[in-house]
Amino acid sequence: AQSVTQPDIHITVSEGASLELRCNYSYGATPYLFWYVQSPGQGLQLLLKYFSGDTLVQGIKGFEAEFKRSQSSFNLRKPSVHWSDAAEYFCAVGSPSGSNYQLIWGAGTKLIIKP
Amino acid sequence: DAGITQSPRHKVTETGTPVTLRCHQTENHRYMYWYRQDPGHGLRLIHYSYGVKDTDKGEVSDGYSVSRSKTEDFLLTLESATSSQTSVYFCAISTSTNEQFFGPGTRLTVL
């Protein structure tokens, strides 16, 4: 069955430290891959996406993610977090050949920033 | 910004009353979605639409119905609201490359 796993429900990081949020997926082929961010009380905003080509993709707000086919992973990274990065982060996958453009969503990882 | 608005943004209602939430988009996207978001459950798809009058069920469709009479509007109706439907509801559109863009959400409380 197709699924997306975000193993960490919460992650606490000190301001200025590096960050890596994990995302693993189970899918029949290489899917489209996405990371979204949701600040408290807000809707979801697209951070970055992978469709094909270079496996390291850059997104907004200084985030990047690396697609590793052998590990079925698409981990999100940031070299130095800021207090404003405190939010919930969602990984999602979609089918390049899908007919309904549905996304399969991870359960989310809540990022807490320590001052 | 994909030009998605939701109304109302907040609503408190009583058990057993009907409730309709509206999603409006300005960019003529074919695919539209209704999700609910609850702590510990992430996003769950309620219904989606792939064109005017074309809709289908998602994973948590019981107790909900939808309608799409115009490309720009996608309505979600709770025929008889229950406390278990207290949630935050998000509308989204999809581009042709599966990117979804979300509205600001509607916080619904059923007493």
Side-chain angles (χ1 to χ4, degrees):
Chain A
Q2 299 165 349
S3 64
V4 177
T5 302
Q6 293 181 247
D8 304 304
I9 298 174
H10 300 98
I11 279 190
T12 300
V13 176
S14 297
E15 190 170 14
S18 64
L19 169 70
E20 182 169 28
L21 301 182
R22 295 181 290 163
C23 173
N24 294 96
Y25 64 88
S26 173
Y27 209 82
T30 299
Y32 291 161
L33 296 156
F34 306 88
W35 275 100
Y36 286 81
V37 60
Q38 184 180 30
S39 297
Q42 305 295 313
L44 280 79
Q45 181 183 21
L46 180 64
L47 270 179
L48 47 77
K49 61 199 178 209
Y50 172 80
F51 292 157
S52 65
D54 192 346
T55 56
L56 185 63
V57 293
Q58 303 297 320
I60 62 172
K61 307 186 182 196
F63 285 91
E64 65 179 26
E66 186 172 13
F67 168 56
K68 292 186 177 180
R69 186 192 308 273
S70 61
Q71 298 176 20
S72 297
S73 69
F74 189 56
N75 293 349
L76 182 71
R77 302 194 294 244
K78 187 170 184 178
S80 176
V81 299
H82 186 261
W83 64 266
S84 60
D85 293 325
E88 192 157 19
Y89 292 80
F90 293 91
C91 181
V93 302
S95 170
S97 60
S99 59
N100 59 25
Y101 299 105
Q102 286 189 40
L103 295 182
I104 301 168
W105 294 88
T109 297
K110 189 168 186 178
L111 176 62
I112 300 162
I113 306 295
K114 284 192 304 186
Chain B
D1 185 358
I4 304 167
T5 57
Q6 293 184 231
S7 59
R9 294 292 315 279
H10 301 271
K11 186 169 183 67
V12 180
T13 191
E14 294 190 349
T15 297
T17 60
V19 176
T20 295
L21 308 183
R22 179 179 183 245
C23 177
H24 179 79
Q25 58 142 331
T26 59
E27 298 188 358
N28 213 35
H29 292 286
R30 182 180 170 201
Y31 283 87
M32 299 184 74
Y33 307 83
W34 276 108
Y35 291 95
R36 61 178 290 174
Q37 186 178 37
D38 306 288
H41 290 276
L43 284 171
R44 292 184 290 176
L45 182 65
I46 304 170
H47 281 279
Y48 67 98
S49 170
Y50 47 97
V52 173
K53 298 193 189 312
D54 292 323
T55 65
D56 207 348
K57 296 178 180 179
E59 63 179 298
V60 291
S61 59
D62 287 349
Y64 301 94
S65 61
V66 289
S67 65
R68 193 165 177 203
S69 59
K70 299 185 289 185
T71 298
E72 58 266 35
D73 289 325
F74 191 30
L75 304 181
L76 176 71
T77 297
L78 292 64
E79 300 290 349
S80 177
T82 67
S83 59
S84 65
Q85 294 176 311
T86 292
S87 187
V88 180
Y89 291 86
F90 287 100
C91 173
I93 61 90
S94 180
T95 68
S96 59
T97 48
N98 276 23
E99 295 161 286
Q100 290 194 9
F101 295 93
F102 287 79
T106 295
R107 183 172 295 275
L108 176 67
T109 302
V110 183
L111 301 176

